[in-house]
Amino acid sequence: MKSFVRSYGMVIILVVMFALLYATVPTFRNPQNLLNLLQQNSVNAIIASGVTFVLITGGIDLSVGSTAALAGMAGAAVMVRHGILLGVLAGLAAATAAGLLNGLLISRAGIVPFVTTLGVQTLTRGILYIATNATPIYGLPFEYMRVGLGNIGPFPIATSLAVVIAVVMQVLLKHTPYGQYVLALGGNEDATRLSGIDVKRTKTVVYTVTALLAGVGGLILLGQTNTGQPQAAVGYELNAIAAVVVGGTPLSGGQGSVLNTIIGVLVLGLISNALNLMNVSPYWQPAVTGLIILLAVGLDTATKGHR
Amino acid sequence: MQPVLEMRGITKRFPGVLALDNVDFNLMHGEVHALVGANGAGKSTLMKVLAGAYPDYEGQVAIAGRVCEMRTPRQAQQSGVAVIHQEFSLVPTLTAAENIMLGMEPRRSTSFPGNMLLNKKALAERSVRLLGELGFTAVDPRARVSDLGVAEQQLVQIAKAIAANARILVMDEPTARLSRAERDELFKVMFRLRDAGTSIVYISHFLEEVFRVASRVTVLRDGQVVAVRAVDELDRRTLVHHMLGREITAGDKVRLEDSSTHGRQSAGKGEEIMVVRGLGRRGKFEDVSFSLRRGEILGIAGLVGSGRTELARAIFGADGSVKTGSIKMKGRDYAPSNPRAAVASGLALLPEDRKQQGLVLVRPVSDNVLLPVTATFTRGPFLDHRRRKQQVSSMTTRLNIKSASPAVQVGTLSGGNQQKVVLAKWLSASPDILILDQPTAGVDVGTKEEIYLFLRQLAAAGRALIMISDDPEELSRVCDRVMVMQRGRVVRELDGDFAVSDVLTAVTGDY
Ligand SMILES: Nc1ncnc2c1ncn2[C@@H]1O[C@H](COP(=O)(O)OP(=O)(O)OP(=O)(O)O)[C@@H](O)[C@H]1O
Ligand SMILES: [Mg+2]
């Protein structure tokens, strides 16, 4: 029974919440609202998929928000002159570089992830402000809005991207040697190293891929506003970590799943959507989110038995 | 006479496992009572119930006739129980002295504010005195526990439990990682405590120890008590039979069925696969030279601190490149700077510390067994789950690994079964050269025989093995040659027909 609750607890909560809202709030049922819900949570889903890997290694990444902004700014700057394709590539390249920096500092220089990614976050924001004088970049090609707000069939492009990315990341984690190494090194780095596995490279790749996904998120955000904002995606790192934790991936490392993270994203997204629809003051949002995080972790600890 | 401890009808369940099934156990005043059984029989679980580790046990515990609740470690301590756990429970960042006195730190004075302040001097003095009394001079009380080897950690663990001055002292495999000399010191201490009225529960897989130290034995099998006897009424064969439910033949040199072509005889026949010349690492070992042929098992004997583990780690590149001396492997220069390079050259090391270095405790049994060979059990870029499953099930059957399923976390297995998983892991990899550092620590007598056979088969298949062990019997039975180390140097080599006693005298001899 306990193990059932532990495995499916969040799914049950998600389903129950969804059913309750569906039955009681008419505006919730509106298909447009449901699509909005998906659309609004896509960026967090993409970023949190990467952050799941980071937390599984026992690390943390505080720089995904700033990396998203970096990708958006680099993308915007190149796009206004050289078009969409080069813009997107520039954004992704900039994000990847930031992730590589994280990865190398953590695995080669041995600086702890918290400090490294805090440093990189602050550095990135600083550079963005200096380079732009804190002014937004306007004048992006109008078609680029589609990336942020357009649909494929009935589904938002952003959501489709999020689904593909989550599936790929889940397969990577559970069905490839690389995923096994990530899980193993998060559980015991020394034992993994002594098994002949290149833990440094594995870790570097984790931070690089996470940054790349943050870059994808940043480019979607760019498409939503069609303006390059140096202060975009502030606080996104905490949204992502919250989703991972609510999904049930422990911060202690060695365990976790991207699917759980997606459930975490949806639970948090559903709550903010519901509060919106029920006209609850937005000031309530953070408090409720905080409560959910504590409840989720509490549930997890309680079902793991004593201690 | 009334028992000091009476446990009645103790039952304890884990998900998918009935670890203890209505177990009765009693302990007399001033008695050493051995608790034996195969890996996973429930010995540690029974003692953890006594230590207050499992609030949800069923049954009754009475101390000196009074029923006590043992729902928290605190309650157990207050009832006078101290436990030397099989798995270490030390704080790695504290010093040996601080660990020994943890929770009993001397204060500056007995009244406020002095009672808020630590008396560091007294703390150091007391732990030094205790270690001295126990004869555990190998332990530096000021060293951080994380810098100590497993044998020294074991001694700290023992000292810590003894410092608690308990009425009932539980020792869960205290000698699994000790060499003979330390073992003898420990027995002296045990006898002294016993004579002073302490009652001792003693768990061990070394049956000769049971006969030496205990007056009574309780045998557990699959969570049930199958026998309670006075030691005088028993011999080794009957005891093994009680434990395993079957006979085993042990004692002779381990040979394969087809002994005319394999086993001892093949020694020296295979090609030379590794030549080590003048290898040294400052402060650890120096001027070590030996050669290793395919088809042979080279044993390394020695006391704790003789540099055996460091030598093994150096050959495996676990602590970076070695500056002094040279290694040739298959005729080519070999200087691994990390384990990955070593594995790529066909080496493997089974480390002595299974919890810190051997296993990823939160991962399933299956993933641990397959960790070094993850990349070979694939189809295209993906894991081949079917072949992985087959490999795991063949290894778990072969080594008799007892777990609810291969999907449970390794950390939930009994100590001996965890050790078997470490073995399974490296036996799956089947490298050219396999270095084993205390491979059978905590493994029961039945499975040990199976492991010895497995090792001989690997050798017969053309692999070369190096086996570090503290058990002279094991070395003399399994190895073709034994190299003896003292204080970082090779002092002797035994070859040809040598016996247990030869290994014993060689280890402690003066050179
Ligand atoms: N925390 C746990 N969760 C799940 N199962 C457990 C846990 N602890 C022990 N078990 C199971 O209970 C059984 C008894 O384990 P126990 O550790 O008592 O064996 P043991 O007799 O001490 O063996 P060993 O000689 O290997 O130390 C085993 O099957 C083990 O897998
Ligand atoms: Mg045990």
Side-chain angles (χ1 to χ4, degrees):
Chain A
M1 179 59 204
K2 266 189 177 175
S3 68
F4 179 81
V5 173
R6 190 184 346 164
S7 316
Y8 299 104
M10 269 302 137
V11 185
I12 297 168
I13 290 176
L14 180 63
V15 171
V16 169
M17 265 171 44
F18 188 87
L20 274 179
L21 288 169
Y22 201 91
T24 56
V25 184
T27 44
F28 180 80
R29 282 199 285 275
N30 186 336
Q32 196 48 51
N33 178 55
L34 293 177
L35 287 177
N36 275 347
L37 177 70
L38 293 178
Q39 157 93 38
Q40 281 159 4
N41 289 288
S42 302
V43 171
N44 194 22
I46 291 169
I47 297 179
S49 299
V51 171
T52 308
F53 273 58
V54 170
L55 295 195
I56 288 174
T57 64
I60 196 157
D61 193 340
L62 298 175
S63 67
V64 286
S66 63
T67 303
L70 173 69
M73 290 303 282
V78 174
M79 216 176 277
V80 286
R81 267 169 243 137
H82 306 288
I84 291 180
L85 182 67
L86 284 182
V88 167
L89 289 178
L92 295 179
T96 310
L100 196 61
L101 179 63
N102 275 332
L104 293 177
L105 287 175
I106 290 164
S107 69
R108 307 279 155 173
I111 307 175
V112 295
F114 190 97
V115 176
T116 300
T117 59
L118 182 63
V120 168
Q121 179 208 62
T122 319
L123 186 68
T124 308
R125 289 278 179 205
I127 290 174
L128 286 179
Y129 290 138
I130 296 166
T132 63
N133 241 329
T135 48
I137 301 179
Y138 300 103
L140 270 66
F142 185 72
E143 317 85 84
Y144 188 67
M145 294 275 290
R146 282 202 54 193
V147 171
L149 301 170
N151 288 353
I152 301 180
F155 290 107
I157 290 181
T159 305
S160 315
L161 255 177
V163 169
V164 170
I165 285 173
V167 169
V168 168
M169 293 301 277
Q170 175 75 358
V171 170
L172 187 65
L173 184 65
K174 299 287 174 163
H175 301 284
T176 68
Y178 177 72
Q180 284 290 303
Y181 301 156
V182 171
L183 288 162
L185 89 85
N188 185 343
E189 186 165 337
D190 208 20
T192 308
R193 186 179 71 93
L194 290 173
S195 299
I197 286 148
D198 193 339
V199 293
K200 288 184 180 166
R201 200 179 63 190
T202 309
K203 274 208 257 186
T204 307
V205 173
V206 165
Y207 284 93
T208 310
V209 169
T210 301
L212 175 64
L213 295 184
V216 172
L219 289 167
I220 292 173
L221 286 179
L222 181 65
Q224 287 171 359
T225 54
N226 235 22
T227 319
Q229 309 263 16
Q231 71 277 29
V234 168
Y236 274 40
E237 56 279 350
L238 296 182
N239 293 345
I241 293 168
V244 179
V245 170
V246 169
T249 295
L251 286 175
S252 50
Q255 289 163 290
S257 125
V258 179
L259 285 187
N260 287 351
T261 296
I262 298 304
I263 291 166
V265 170
L266 290 175
V267 166
L268 292 175
L270 213 56
I271 286 168
S272 83
N273 185 262
L275 294 177
N276 254 331
L277 294 179
M278 297 188 291
N279 288 323
V280 178
S281 144
Y283 296 143
W284 276 90
Q285 285 253 1
V288 173
T289 306
L291 208 60
I292 296 292
I293 294 174
L294 294 178
L295 275 175
V297 177
L299 175 90
D300 203 50
T301 315
T303 51
K304 278 198 177 106
H306 50 275
R307 266 187 294 223
Chain B
M1 206 172 80
Q2 188 180 47
V4 184
L5 165 70
E6 232 185 326
M7 301 177 83
R8 274 189 299 262
I10 304 290
T11 295
K12 169 70 193 147
R13 270 172 248 276
F14 293 107
V17 190
L18 179 58
L20 296 174
D21 182 5
N22 202 13
V23 169
D24 293 335
F25 178 79
N26 65 58
L27 181 67
M28 294 298 168
H29 183 79
E31 157 184 65
V32 177
H33 191 135
L35 186 59
V36 301
N39 294 133
K43 305 179 296 291
S44 298
T45 306
L46 184 65
M47 290 303 112
K48 282 188 198 160
V49 167
L50 179 61
Y54 298 130
D56 59 341
Y57 68 87
E58 294 160 41
Q60 227 177 37
V61 181
I63 305 255
R66 261 197 31 237
V67 174
C68 297
E69 287 294 315
M70 295 292 189
R71 306 286 167 182
T72 66
R74 186 111 208 118
Q75 284 172 337
Q77 269 167 22
Q78 282 163 351
S79 311
V81 176
V83 181
I84 302 167
H85 286 290
Q86 180 175 17
E87 305 301 340
F88 293 141
S89 47
L90 299 172
V91 183
T93 48
L94 296 183
T95 64
E98 285 163 348
N99 265 286
I100 292 170
M101 302 308 287
L102 192 64
M104 307 175 280
E105 295 86 354
R107 306 300 160 97
R108 290 277 175 82
S109 76
T110 49
S111 57
F112 188 83
N115 63 354
M116 302 291 286
L117 298 172
L118 214 55
N119 186 344
K120 290 204 170 178
K121 214 170 126 220
L123 185 145
E125 280 168 7
R126 272 197 220 173
S127 44
V128 169
R129 183 156 14 99
L130 182 69
L131 287 169
E133 279 169 17
L134 295 173
F136 297 166
T137 43
V139 180
D140 175 3
R142 283 161 317 205
R144 280 224 265 160
V145 160
S146 57
D147 295 335
L148 298 176
V150 286
E152 286 137 0
Q153 291 188 23
Q154 181 69 67
L155 296 176
V156 174
Q157 186 100 345
I158 293 169
K160 182 182 165 188
I162 288 175
N165 234 331
R167 266 197 291 183
I168 298 170
L169 179 61
V170 177
M171 309 177 105
D172 194 348
E173 296 191 39
T175 56
R177 307 159 208 248
L178 298 185
S179 66
R180 290 278 159 133
E182 292 129 356
R183 197 177 288 201
D184 291 340
E185 285 299 333
L186 178 65
F187 289 163
K188 274 190 228 154
V189 174
M190 272 173 68
F191 293 143
R192 224 170 48 222
L193 288 172
R194 176 196 62 192
D195 296 340
T198 308
S199 312
I200 299 173
V201 182
Y202 188 77
I203 301 179
S204 177
H205 286 293
F206 296 103
L207 300 183
E208 69 279 3
E209 292 180 1
V210 169
F211 288 101
R212 185 162 153 202
V213 302
S215 52
R216 282 198 305 156
V217 193
T218 293
V219 184
L220 281 177
R221 197 198 305 159
D222 294 330
Q224 293 180 329
V225 175
V226 290
V228 185
R229 298 272 188 287
V231 165
D232 317 337
E233 301 168 16
L234 276 173
D235 57 23
R236 190 189 153 98
R237 253 192 56 215
T238 353
L239 186 58
V240 169
H241 196 107
H242 283 312
M243 286 171 61
L244 307 178
R246 64 187 164 92
E247 307 267 325
I248 54 162
T249 47
D252 290 341
K253 300 260 182 209
V254 181
R255 283 157 191 275
L256 300 179
E257 298 286 294
D258 182 11
S259 61
S260 57
T261 51
H262 302 306
R264 268 264 166 98
Q265 289 81 346
S266 66
K269 276 189 192 159
E271 77 178 280
E272 207 162 55
I273 187 168
M274 176 180 266
V275 182
V276 175
R277 286 284 161 261
L279 205 66
R281 166 158 275 154
R282 266 187 70 184
K284 305 290 187 191
F285 58 89
E286 51 186 321
D287 198 21
V288 174
S289 302
F290 64 91
S291 73
L292 189 66
R293 293 176 177 280
R294 285 187 185 278
E296 75 169 343
I297 304 181
L298 169 67
I300 308 184
L303 298 177
V304 172
S306 59
R308 296 171 299 171
T309 293
E310 286 79 5
L311 173 64
R313 287 177 63 90
I315 297 174
F316 191 60
D319 307 308
S321 331
V322 183
K323 301 284 181 308
T324 326
S326 70
I327 309 177
K328 275 204 186 325
M329 200 172 146
K330 298 172 194 163
R332 268 184 290 165
D333 281 330
Y334 162 82
S337 53
N338 57 49
R340 191 163 44 93
V343 169
S345 322
L347 242 87
L349 168 71
L350 184 150
E352 66 170 339
D353 186 341
R354 62 174 167 250
K355 235 173 140 179
Q356 301 298 325
Q357 297 166 357
L359 296 170
V360 186
L361 293 172
V362 295
R363 299 300 305 158
V365 173
S366 54
D367 289 5
N368 272 280
V369 169
L370 294 167
L371 187 53
V373 290
T374 307
T376 55
F377 283 80
T378 47
R379 247 178 45 210
F382 301 111
L383 301 175
D384 187 340
H385 291 293
R386 201 174 46 86
R387 267 174 60 226
R388 280 169 65 89
K389 217 167 157 179
Q390 283 168 356
Q391 174 67 12
V392 170
S393 88
S394 97
M395 290 313 285
T396 47
T397 326
R398 183 86 204 258
L399 292 179
N400 204 3
I401 296 172
K402 191 181 160 195
S403 68
S405 98
V408 301
Q409 298 185 354
V410 164
T412 68
L413 267 57
S414 79
N417 282 304
Q418 290 185 13
Q419 183 66 31
K420 295 180 205 167
V421 173
V422 189
L423 267 157
K425 177 175 159 183
W426 287 115
L427 296 178
S428 299
S430 97
D432 285 331
I433 299 179
L434 177 56
I435 308 173
L436 306 140
D437 197 349
Q438 315 283 7
T440 60
V443 174
D444 66 44
V445 284
T447 310
K448 264 187 195 167
E449 295 303 317
E450 187 60 43
I451 291 169
Y452 297 157
L453 218 61
F454 207 141
L455 299 182
R456 288 279 20 149
Q457 277 168 3
L458 281 181
R463 323 252 174 230
L465 282 76
I466 298 176
M467 175 155 119
I468 297 175
S469 173
D470 283 331
D471 183 1
E473 188 185 318
E474 172 169 290
L475 288 170
S476 71
R477 289 186 56 208
V478 180
C479 300
D480 300 296
R481 289 187 293 142
V482 172
M483 199 163 89
V484 182
M485 290 183 70
Q486 274 186 4
R487 272 171 259 112
R489 287 175 170 278
V490 178
V491 291
R492 261 206 81 178
E493 203 178 300
L494 301 166
D495 201 345
D497 230 5
F498 54 88
V500 186
S501 53
D502 299 326
V503 180
L504 257 175
T505 42
V507 167
T508 47
D510 249 337
Y511 296 90

